[in-house]
Structures are given as structure tokens and as C-alpha cells.
Amino acid sequence: MTHKLTVRVPATSANLGPGFDCLGLALDLFNAFTLVLDDPFRIEVTGESAERLPRGEENVVVQAIRRVLHDAGLAAQSLPAFSLHLDNQIPVSSGLGSSASAIVGGLVLGNALVREVAPHKELPLDRILAIATEIEGHPDNVAPALFGGGVLAFHDKAGLRTTPVPIPRELRFVAATPDFALSTEQARKVLPATYPRAEVVENIAQCARLMLALSTNDLDLLRGGLVDYLHEPYRRPLVPGAREVASAAVDAGAFAVTISGAGPTLLAWSIAEHAITVADEMTLAWLNAGIPCRTLVLEPALCATTAQRCFD
């Protein structure tokens, strides 16, 4: 009898426009990671970028599993051998949280393995979040990947904290991903070290506007776009055709368009009635710029990431 542990981790869109490094949203596009116990170590990868991803100990999922085992005080040699099957549906280097998905998937799998062999050493969820943030660098991708839905992450005297952000049920998110990659490292390098005070004040207003629109279900507050001054003006030039694609989405009925994470995916905020038209017009606008793209109409993924145990 084969003993398996499986997790499905959602794609995420970080920043959500003016919520730079603190707001994120889980979307219903998933990577699935399966750990098979008492199996010789090997890694099988299917789906997105399967040919590019490492199949050894350097794989991010394996490193995250090992990190949890280390934090739980479990020696690797005392654990059963395992193999992994990674099925990736989230495009890599797209701004849709593929790296966060791998980190969270590995940490949740590792914690499930701890629960199997030493239940009293299982790590609490806030520790899993802290490790994920340490590895990823920022919580706005890993927090929604772990908890689902919309998430605000912030620090206070208690350390890193998160709280759910309500997402109106009628919202749909059109993710338009052009056929080129943009690394987070590259997108970070273009950001300035300081900003003019007036721009920071306006960014605070825009973020407050976004939170008010979501919490009161007043989607008209989103019309006219979500203006950001902290990252989008500097990253937009790295995404050829971005302005034309965003304009096409708004003309087709989208409330606003934001750069998803570090890009190059653009995320159009719409209602279901307009979502397909928005997707078609974004695709056409990028094709007119000579760039193939893929568009997906996505809903928020509201469930937290957990490991499922099964036997074959």
C-alpha cells in the first residue's frame, strides 16, 4: 500500500497595485505537489517549465521540506525515504507566484511529514508563514498562497501579522501573461531607494481607496484605475505593450489593471459579465504588439493550503 501526501497551492498576485509588498490575492490556478513515502528519492515534474526545473536536492520544494524537518529537530536519516511528483500549472517567472507556490507547497508537505512521524513536533502555522517569508523575502505572495483569499501582511510589535482582505464575489481577475519571462530580481533592481513625499501620500490614498472598495463591495471606487507610484511606473517599461494592453482591458469593461507581482503578467479587475471580452481584447492588444500571450479568467482561491493524506 502506497502512502501519499498531496498539497495543491494556488497562484497568487502580489501588490494589487498600490499595496506594494503587503497585499496579495490567491487565484484558482494551482500547482500540485505529491510526496510518496517509503519510495526511493526521485523527482518527477510535469506541466509548466517541466524541462527547466531541477530534479535533485537543489529543487525549491525539497529545500523547503528539509527546512521544516530541520526546524522541527528531525534528522533526515531518521525519516522514511520519499519521492516527489510536482505538477506545475502556474507559469514560471510570470508574476503569478510560482516560486511562492513551491515554497509553501514544500513547507506544508514537510510539516505533514513531521505530523506523520512526530506529531508533537509539528510546526504552528505562524512559524510556517515566517519561514516562507524568510525564504521568499516578502509575505505578499506566500501569505495568500498559504491562507487563500485576499491577505494583508504587516509588522507590529508582535512581529509579522496577517489579516484577511474581503474579495467581492462578483470580481473576476483576467491574468494576461505575455510569452516572455521577467525575473523578480530584475524587476526589483529598477526600483528607486527613495520616493518623493507627495507620491508616497498619494500611494497611501490609493491603497485606502482599494481597501474601502473591497471591504464595502463598492466596485465603482475601482473605476479609473488603481494608481501606484512605488513600483509600477518603474516596472512597466520592462513589459513591452503594457500600456496598450491595459487600455484595451479598461475599454472592454475592466475596472482597473495592475501588474501582477513583479510582472510581466497584467491582472485586469472585472466582473464576470465582461471578463471574457476583457481577456480577448488583452490578447489581441498584445498580439498587435507582436507578442503572443495567454489569458486566463480566474476567481479567488479561498481555501487554505493543507496536505491531504491518501493510500493507493
Side-chain angles (χ1 to χ4, degrees):
M1 183 178 293
T2 303
H3 184 182
K4 297 181 178 179
L5 300 168
T6 298
V7 299
R8 293 173 74 240
V9 188
T12 55
S13 183
N15 302 319
L16 305 186
F20 181 54
D21 279 356
C22 63
L23 284 176
L25 170 70
L27 299 166
D28 65 342
L29 176 67
F30 296 88
N31 285 348
F33 310 126
T34 299
L35 183 152
V36 182
L37 285 165
D38 296 313
D39 205 28
F41 178 78
R42 67 183 186 280
I43 300 177
E44 298 175 355
V45 186
T46 56
E48 292 284 338
S49 302
E51 70 287 348
R52 293 169 44 196
L53 298 177
R55 288 165 167 76
E57 288 285 340
E58 72 275 20
N59 186 282
V60 172
V61 178
V62 177
Q63 292 182 10
I65 291 172
R66 300 296 191 202
R67 174 61 188 273
V68 169
L69 300 180
H70 177 269
D71 275 39
L74 295 177
Q77 59 268 27
S78 66
L79 297 169
F82 62 83
S83 64
L84 288 171
H85 179 245
L86 316 178
D87 180 49
N88 298 320
Q89 299 304 313
I90 304 171
V92 173
S93 298
S94 65
L96 287 171
S98 62
S99 62
S101 172
I103 292 166
V104 169
L107 294 177
V108 173
L109 272 181
N111 213 29
L113 183 56
V114 171
R115 187 164 59 245
E116 292 288 322
V117 299
H120 62 289
K121 293 189 174 184
E122 180 181 0
L123 301 184
L125 203 54
D126 59 351
R127 181 58 188 151
I128 295 296
L129 174 62
I131 297 172
T133 302
E134 178 187 329
I135 296 172
E136 174 74 356
H138 302 276
D140 50 340
N141 264 321
V142 293
L146 183 60
F147 298 121
V151 179
L152 168 65
F154 57 94
H155 292 83
D156 62 12
K157 292 180 180 179
L160 174 62
R161 295 178 59 192
T162 62
T163 189
V165 173
I167 305 296
R169 295 176 62 88
E170 58 267 40
L171 267 180
R172 296 294 181 272
F173 298 89
V174 181
T177 304
D179 190 20
F180 60 85
L182 177 59
S183 72
T184 301
E185 181 182 6
Q186 181 185 2
R188 285 254 165 210
K189 284 182 178 178
V190 300
L191 302 182
T194 60
Y195 298 89
R197 179 184 298 181
E199 291 183 358
V200 174
V201 170
E202 182 58 30
N203 226 78
I204 293 170
Q206 292 289 334
C207 197
R209 166 197 183 189
L210 169 60
M211 297 297 284
L212 188 62
L214 296 177
S215 61
T216 63
N217 202 20
D218 184 0
L219 298 183
D220 279 341
L221 273 174
L222 299 176
R223 294 193 187 278
L226 292 166
V227 181
D228 169 78
Y229 292 89
L230 300 186
H231 69 106
E232 292 199 354
Y234 306 96
R235 289 171 168 171
R236 201 174 290 114
L238 302 177
V239 184
R243 289 189 183 278
E244 293 79 5
V245 174
S247 294
V250 172
D251 290 345
F255 294 111
V257 178
T258 54
I259 297 176
S260 186
T265 294
L266 298 184
L267 195 73
W269 300 51
S270 176
I271 58 173
E273 178 184 355
H274 298 147
I276 296 299
T277 302
V278 169
D280 290 344
E281 292 301 317
M282 294 177 83
T283 300
L284 181 60
W286 243 318
L287 287 175
N288 287 339
I291 302 172
C293 88
R294 170 174 40 176
T295 53
L296 296 169
V297 177
L298 302 172
E299 298 183 30
L302 300 178
C303 294
T305 295
T306 58
Q308 303 297 316
R309 184 185 189 204
C310 61
F311 296 91
D312 286 347

